[in-house]
Amino acid sequence: MALQCSGNIGQWQRFFSFSLRGNIDIKAFREALRTHCLKYPLSGVGVLKAWALNSDRGFAIRPRYLQHLEQLLHSRVITDEDGLVFVLGNFRETIASQNMLLVESGAAKEGYKPTVEAAILERLAYQMVNFRIATVPHGDRMPSMRAFKPLIVLLSKFNEALASSVPLTGPALEIANELGKFAAAYINDLSLLGLSTYHNGRPPKAFRRGFGHQLSPFLDLIAPTSVELAESLSILQRQSSLFEAQESEHVEDGIANDLNALTYQDSVLEIPLVTTKAALYVYLNATLCGRPIADDTALFAFLNTRYTEDIPTLIADLISASFDVLANAVNRTESQESINIYRSFISNKLPVLLMSMSNLVFPPLTVESCITNALNGMDASGDPFSTQAFDPLSITGILSDARSEFLFACALHGLILERSIPIILGDTPMQSLPESGKYVKDELVNQCTTNSARIKELVGELENMDGNSAEIAAALVEIIQTLCSNKDTITLKNVCNSLSCKTSAMDVMLLFVEPVVLLEPLCGLLENYQNHEDQSESHPLYEEFGSIMLLTLAFRHHFTLQESDLGIGPSESFLRTYFQSSRTSRRPNDLSETERQTLGSWIKGLYETNAINDELMSTCTPRDFYLLIPTLFDQSLKALQTGLLAQDTVKSGLEFLLEPFLLPSLIAGLGWAARKLWEVKPSAPYLDYILPLVTCLVKPASLSPEASALHETVLTITAYPLERALAHVQKLHPRRRDIDPLLNVLRPQLHQVRSGAATHTELETWSTTRDGGLFAALPHSLQALINWSSAALAKQDGTAGNMRQTTSGAAPNYTHRLVLACVRNFGATSTLSVLISEAIKSMSAGTCPQEVALDVLTAIVCAPVASSARSTMGLRRALELMLEDAYGYSIGKHDQQPDITKAEFIIRLSRRVETQSPVRQLAQQTAAEVANAVVNDGVAADMMMGLEGNPDLATGGLEGPPMGAAAAANEVLEGMLKDVDSHFMDTDDPVDLFDLT
């Protein structure tokens, strides 16, 4: 049996090695895995050993191998307990060898790539939280009780091995963090299934004893270096009552502390609310600094709690903040595209917001008087709106134009009289109301229904600063939804072509509509795309499909959208497959027979007959063609290298893809080329073959006007990976003269993204800040906001909190991208701690009242975040965790000096954030929310590993018969728990009992 087991490990090692070298795609790997399991049976731990032997342990956890690990978990070839037992048997050796290697190579202070053990733990935790929990309501699984024993043993051995190594560093820290995340996910799993409170509201003895003995020392081990993780695990332990009976005194102390904390929080007196200039300035900046966020519900919730019934002040502050944000963008020399978004917000969105408030302004006041007072009340010292120094190219000119556009848009909506505009401006404007008057959505839809050419005109008018964009955007969304529902792809093609070539129009659209509302119908149509019964040719089919595909990819690229933003479900689909494999070619042996025949037909059509006829396209759906593009390019390159095809033949063949009906497919082709260029070494024989192909596609000799516009969009989407790959090649081959012309074409396209991520220039500027770099730039920015707000408030009647806005000069230099950058790089808890410390420092120095600091920080925490930036724990969740420790700060927890000021500030800040959030958070968070926040805070690790989400994990692979829901399996669970209690807990030494070595 031992010989057979050893032989099977060798077979599995060769299986993994072949899968990696052969570049087998995941679907083929999954199918081969089923066969291999039957042919070479092996324990889960043995399979993991074979997998690890091929993974270049420690420093080269390859993305493909991590995908293989996911499939092993998903197909239940290995289990949670297998992974834990493997880590238990190897972590000591890994830590020792990695530390030795790091020191010898001089990399002890560099960043660490995942070790095998950390990668396994990370995948176990991520799968448990994000995929398995979703299946519980459907009764698809039972809890993994067997994982409890090796988890407790692993915690015990880890504590024992590293107790003298605090603070942890390097591989030890990495494995500890992932082990902590898995423990959080596992405790959450027990809570979700009702097992953590199984006996009279208390966890079973096994859980209380196991976690009671081992979790607390583990928390002490990781606390110095992983504060957020330690705090979150501590919360989970307290909420789940995972303490041993012998520790009842400690539990009672914990309950008493919780009661004291609640009593202390209630004893902190509230201070009056003030509305600072900076708060709304920060909120609007966050709304517009990246992808425009069209969440009016959140905005009105924020405004209503701050201004209650004081609508005139609300209108004045909203107008003032909008112009401050525009002036800040101009002063920061942001791109013209960004400035146009701010201007469009002022002229197209702001009047719509004011219209929704107009019925709340009562005589003798009018909306016109509120608008007039707001514009007249803007700072007169260095007035940026003065017409005396009008210069169309200066900040004065841009802001003067914006004010004029805003007033005419208000007149269009009936908020002010047109004849009042010269009086407010103090000059005769050059602008006038649009000749067509105020648009109405339903009328626009009817116009487009009778005349499809009107659609292109409306797309062109989206960028106008005349106040009509809201109705145009609403009309276009309804038109797209109707065309998708009716499968009118002929008309839809024209709409998509008009929008995909104008990223500025996309920006304006998202001022009024969430991406999923627009893109979900398009994605649904792509997934179920079929030929029309009345269409005898396939050429139009490809053209219409390509136009819809290009618009979808253009939105996804321009705003870095997630699959949820596109409306793509968790199930396997064409678009999900395309996103995961659009840059990866497949070997011919990995293709199905139909795919091989289709690939051969396209190669013959491109390179032999030089004709893409209807017969060829009718045998291959557009979806299949787009998925074959990387393989088509790869086979073309290999044919060039082996001399089967001449260079000119391949170039002329690929130029067929520059035809409008095939042009969007180049996105996958150029993506494959970028990936291939990264493989170039100083001696790269195929470089002379691939660069001419890239040149003919990036810099074609001639294009029709229609193709030229589509080609520009394709380059915008592919510019970033292609430019980086070419720059890499240029470093290796600096004397080549055919690379610079390509870079010159691509580099102007690099900054066509609005994701909220900081630019390289911004990061370099912040990183050079004295005394701390990026983390020092954040308190400087907060201090500027506080000083500006403090200067804008004056005491009235000598009573604290009764304040009014006054002039305060120009708005400080600020972008919410700085806050997002700090959260992404340092975590939400560290970022919030720095902000709170700086606010308290200003209060202690007497430079600002506490109510001002509270209001500014509340706005920063409540500021909206696009869904694509919500991967990690946010500032609100970090504040909730800090609130848990507020009482600790007041009494001097962990041998620290009591800090009553900090404790009270955190409590007051939490109250205001809860009040001003669109949906108030529960005061007591559940274990599931904590565990999700902890584990999902590691999404950056996913990006480092190069993994994308695998939809198969949500449904299961080699599934057994479905089980009932947890509530229906009490009898089985009771037996399992009794077994755990009777066999695992009858000794005083849990380590001896759980010894698996």
Side-chain angles (χ1 to χ4, degrees), residues 578-649:
Y578 179 84
F579 294 150
Q580 292 176 353
S581 60
S582 61
R583 298 172 59 189
T584 306
S585 63
R586 291 181 285 168
R587 296 178 61 189
N589 291 339
D590 297 331
L591 303 176
S592 66
E593 184 61 32
T594 302
E595 288 174 325
R596 283 196 292 270
Q597 291 177 359
T598 302
L599 179 62
S601 299
W602 276 99
I603 291 175
K604 183 177 180 180
L606 289 172
Y607 306 132
E608 293 184 18
T609 62
N610 290 325
I612 305 300
N613 53 39
D614 190 68
E615 180 182 358
L616 170 59
M617 290 188 291
S618 64
T619 60
C620 175
T621 66
R623 290 194 299 271
D624 293 336
F625 172 68
Y626 275 68
L627 293 177
L628 281 175
I629 283 292
T631 306
L632 173 63
F633 272 65
D634 188 63
Q635 291 299 308
S636 301
L637 178 62
K638 289 177 179 175
L640 272 176
Q641 290 179 270
T642 57
L644 294 177
L645 291 175
Q647 184 81 260
D648 292 340
T649 302

Side-chain angles (χ1 to χ4, degrees), residues 105 122 361 367 403 430 439 443 491 664 903 926 947 992:
S105 62
E122 192 275 336
V361 178
V367 177
R403 184 169 71 159
M430 301 175 62
Y439 283 162
E443 294 178 1
T491 307
T926 65
L947 287 175
D992 291 341

Side-chain angles (χ1 to χ4, degrees), residues 26 50 146 152 180 208 245 274 291 341 354-355 406 495 528 700 714 773 801 834 876 882 890 912 993:
I26 294 304
R146 294 184 181 87
I152 295 301
R208 282 183 278 123
V274 297
R291 187 189 94 197
I341 281 294
L354 297 181
M355 273 294 295
F406 168 67
V495 181
N528 303 285
V714 168
V834 169
R876 292 186 192 179
M882 293 185 73
S890 69
R912 300 198 178 199
L993 261 175

Side-chain angles (χ1 to χ4, degrees), residues 453-773:
R454 178 69 174 134
I455 298 175
K456 187 174 182 179
E457 295 176 0
L458 290 179
V459 172
E461 293 179 33
L462 261 176
E463 301 173 67
N464 292 347
M465 311 291 179
D466 58 7
N468 273 325
S469 295
E471 296 297 314
I472 295 175
L476 288 174
V477 169
E478 183 170 324
I479 290 167
I480 290 174
Q481 291 174 339
T482 302
L483 293 175
C484 290
S485 177
N486 298 336
K487 294 182 170 54
D488 183 1
T489 54
I490 298 175
T491 307
L492 187 59
K493 179 197 74 172
N494 298 326
V495 181
C496 293
N497 286 345
S498 301
L499 269 174
S500 62
C501 299
K502 295 177 72 68
T503 55
S504 53
M506 298 181 198
D507 293 335
V508 178
M509 288 281 288
L510 261 61
L511 284 173
F512 307 100
V513 61
E514 292 290 340
V516 68
V517 176
L518 176 67
L519 297 175
E520 186 173 23
L522 294 173
C523 293
L525 188 60
L526 290 171
E527 295 290 353
N528 303 285
Y529 203 81
Q530 296 178 350
N531 195 1
H532 296 292
E533 295 179 358
D534 57 347
Q535 265 186 344
S536 58
E537 298 182 358
S538 296
H539 180 286
L541 180 70
Y542 271 71
E543 188 170 16
E544 293 155 13
F545 181 92
S547 297
I548 301 169
M549 186 74 171
L550 185 60
L551 179 61
T552 303
L553 296 178
F555 263 99
R556 180 175 184 260
H557 165 77
H558 187 57
F559 299 112
T560 60
L561 300 179
Q562 305 297 314
E563 291 176 3
S564 59
D565 297 316
L566 302 176
I568 300 175
S571 59
E572 193 167 333
S573 64
F574 157 69
L575 284 174
R576 187 181 289 274
T577 303
Y578 179 84
F579 294 150
Q580 292 176 353
S581 60
S582 61
R583 298 172 59 189
T584 306
S585 63
R586 291 181 285 168
R587 296 178 61 189
N589 291 339
D590 297 331
L591 303 176
S592 66
E593 184 61 32
T594 302
E595 288 174 325
R596 283 196 292 270
Q597 291 177 359
T598 302
L599 179 62
S601 299
W602 276 99
I603 291 175
K604 183 177 180 180
L606 289 172
Y607 306 132
E608 293 184 18
T609 62
N610 290 325
I612 305 300
N613 53 39
D614 190 68
E615 180 182 358
L616 170 59
M617 290 188 291
S618 64
T619 60
C620 175
T621 66
R623 290 194 299 271
D624 293 336
F625 172 68
Y626 275 68
L627 293 177
L628 281 175
I629 283 292
T631 306
L632 173 63
F633 272 65
D634 188 63
Q635 291 299 308
S636 301
L637 178 62
K638 289 177 179 175
L640 272 176
Q641 290 179 270
T642 57
L644 294 177
L645 291 175
Q647 184 81 260
D648 292 340
T649 302
V650 175
K651 286 174 62 177
S652 62
L654 291 181
E655 284 175 351
F656 273 108
L657 301 182
L658 294 170
E659 292 296 325
F661 72 102
L662 295 177
L663 224 161
S665 67
L666 276 185
I667 294 172
L670 293 176
W672 169 88
R675 186 166 187 166
K676 195 69 177 175
L677 287 169
W678 276 107
E679 299 175 10
V680 169
K681 298 179 180 179
S683 58
Y686 63 82
L687 188 57
D688 290 329
Y689 298 106
I690 192 172
L691 277 179
L693 301 185
V694 173
T695 300
C696 78
L697 297 176
V698 172
K699 289 189 63 181
S702 62
L703 288 172
S704 66
E706 180 186 3
S708 180
L710 298 177
H711 186 259
E712 185 82 5
T713 304
V714 168
L715 289 186
T716 298
I717 296 172
T718 58
Y720 182 72
L722 198 54
E723 189 272 344
R724 289 187 64 200
L726 288 168
H728 162 71
V729 174
Q730 192 175 49
K731 288 180 181 178
L732 298 177
H733 302 272
R735 295 184 179 180
R736 292 195 70 106
R737 298 184 178 181
D738 51 357
I739 298 178
D740 272 331
L742 294 174
L743 293 175
N744 292 336
V745 173
L746 294 171
R747 279 172 176 160
Q749 309 292 336
L750 291 179
H751 306 295
Q752 302 295 322
V753 177
R754 295 194 62 82
S755 64
T759 65
H760 290 296
T761 303
E762 288 173 333
L763 288 173
E764 289 175 359
T765 302
W766 297 330
S767 298
T768 58
T769 306
R770 293 182 59 186
D771 303 326

Side-chain angles (χ1 to χ4, degrees), residues 116 169 328 340 509 662 778 820 893 910 941:
V116 168
T169 58
N328 175 62
N340 287 341
M509 288 281 288
L662 295 177
L778 185 63
L820 297 178
K893 187 180 73 170
S910 299

